[in-house]
Amino acid sequence: MDLVATDQKAPAGKETRHPKGERAAEPLTQYVQRVTRRVRAFDRRHPLPWDLHVTGFWVTAALIDVLGGGWLTTTHHPGAPRWLLLTLSLGLSVPLLRRRTHPVTVLLAMAPFALVNAWTGTALQAALLQLVAVYHVALRLPLRNLWWMTALVLTPAAVSAARHGEEGAWSRQIGSQLTSLVVVALIGITVRTRQNHTEALEDRARRLETERDQQAQLATAAERARIAREMHDIIGHNLSVITGLADGGKYAATKSPERAAQALDAIGTTSRQAMSELRRLLDVLRDDEAGRHPAELTPQPTLTDLEQLINGVRAAGLPVHTTVEGRADLPAGRQLTVYRVIQEALTNALKHAGPNTTAEITLVHGGQGAVTATITDTGTAGTAGEATPADGRGLPGMRERTALYGGTLEAGPRPHPEQGWRVHLYLPEETPQ
């Protein structure tokens, strides 16, 4: 029934090996599946050789039946001329060459020969090759074609029963032909259903694989954004502090060597702190568990580290005044968000606000994790704000951190007549899980 050439894909078998690396004996079922897959793959790439082989087989079988005299056991016309036998045999077998691409055309091409075969009483068994075309109709075309196809195939049987049949030939011949039709159609429908099911599973597997890859890409992008935020906060802030200290130390070197030495000490302390935080961040990115350093277990900054942060900014030359209202135990993630936003705001003020600038931090704790932080500076209005977006990391990073907790972040110049820059952070109450 030409079932091997149907477009089905079996799951790839896995090769088993012995513990020492020797190839184990392949099970028979896996061997058959592997060979079948190769045959189907070749057939999909080169369908004509397979069609020629199958058609040649049926043509040979039809000619052997005629030349060997096997047709005489079923014929009603033993004196049929040789040319008629050859014509009917070829007419009932050669059209099978297009059975897969045009099964209806094949069936229509075979129908006149089948009708002549029945009318003359030759009764060649090659007429059964119509069932091959019926199988491909059931396999590839809409099932409504089976109705007229059944009438087309049963017509020669009715003609044969009417012209050459004996008593009871109608029910015997037509019933036998109808049974064959039903069996072949059911086989085609079964194979078709299995193909559709396999294709649906493969399509689902492809979609799941695509979704998995997309999720991995999204996770990678999110992780890259998080690492970029951390790198910006760590390096950007500490370099700004070091720059401020270096500038102050250079100014103090000629007038107050002691102040210059203090600036150098502060630069060393800030540098070591930056290196420690950077090493911890890079350790997290390492894949080898054995090579990780204990530094990766260092906790992220919290609000208890604000004093150290502010002292460093003050040492770099930016006076900072702090006001804290209320007390609350915030989760570590919220504390890190508030810390990083304050750090970024002070860094921008230190870098861009200009000389004689002061900064003020107001931190208000609400209930159930709500917190408000306002950071203002008295620098030249717009200077810090214009530089922040151009940096590409500062303001977007603050907004991303704030969005993780459903908060809001406002950043912009202070209202006239005041000058400077204002950053306002609000994190709402935690929602119960």
Side-chain angles (χ1 to χ4, degrees), residues 147-414:
W147 296 105
W148 66 263
M149 179 194 66
T150 300
L152 183 65
V153 175
L154 289 181
T155 298
V159 170
S160 178
R163 282 183 55 84
H164 309 288
E166 301 174 355
E167 185 178 354
W170 278 88
S171 60
R172 185 172 64 253
Q173 293 186 18
I174 296 180
S176 175
Q177 189 75 349
L178 182 60
T179 301
S180 300
L181 273 172
V182 171
V183 171
V184 171
L186 288 176
I187 294 175
I189 293 172
T190 301
V191 174
R192 179 178 187 168
T193 302
R194 184 171 180 266
Q195 282 185 355
N196 293 339
H197 179 65
T198 302
E199 291 173 359
L201 292 178
E202 292 174 351
D203 180 67
R204 182 172 181 269
R206 283 192 296 268
R207 286 189 285 106
L208 290 175
E209 184 176 359
T210 301
E211 292 177 3
R212 182 198 64 190
D213 293 341
Q214 291 175 346
Q215 291 294 331
Q217 292 174 1
L218 291 175
T220 301
E223 183 64 12
R224 285 177 176 174
R226 186 190 69 82
I227 294 172
R229 288 197 305 267
E230 294 292 334
M231 293 286 287
H232 173 271
D233 292 339
I234 294 172
I235 298 177
H237 170 74
N238 287 287
L239 286 181
S240 297
V241 172
I242 291 172
T243 301
L245 291 170
D247 291 341
K250 179 181 178 181
Y251 175 79
T254 57
K255 297 183 178 181
S256 178
E258 294 180 359
R259 295 289 301 274
Q262 292 175 1
L264 291 175
D265 290 339
I267 288 175
T269 301
T270 305
S271 300
R272 285 189 291 273
Q273 180 182 356
M275 287 297 297
S276 177
E277 292 188 28
L278 186 59
R279 186 180 297 111
R280 174 186 54 78
L281 181 60
L282 295 178
D283 283 342
V284 174
L285 303 180
R286 298 184 60 180
D287 293 330
D288 53 320
E289 295 290 339
R292 292 189 175 182
H293 298 289
E296 73 176 68
L297 302 178
T298 303
Q300 292 276 32
T302 62
L303 294 182
T304 58
D305 300 309
L306 270 180
E307 189 65 27
Q308 181 181 358
L309 171 69
I310 294 171
N311 288 337
V313 173
R314 288 171 178 162
L318 177 64
V320 181
H321 180 264
T322 305
T323 302
V324 179
E325 298 179 8
R327 293 293 178 183
D329 293 329
L330 296 178
R334 288 177 172 246
Q335 292 192 47
L336 178 62
T337 297
V338 176
Y339 180 93
R340 291 304 190 195
V341 168
I342 294 175
Q343 181 187 51
E344 180 63 25
L346 293 178
T347 301
N348 289 332
L350 190 63
K351 289 172 20 179
H352 308 295
N356 302 320
T357 299
T358 61
E360 182 174 354
I361 301 172
T362 302
L363 190 60
V364 180
H365 293 283
Q368 299 182 359
V371 63
T372 302
T374 305
I375 306 96
T376 58
D377 65 67
T378 60
T380 303
T383 303
E386 291 169 359
T388 300
D391 179 78
R393 295 291 183 186
L395 186 57
M398 288 193 289
R399 295 193 187 281
E400 290 171 2
R401 291 182 184 277
T402 305
L404 291 176
Y405 299 96
T408 57
L409 181 75
E410 301 173 2
R414 299 172 66 184

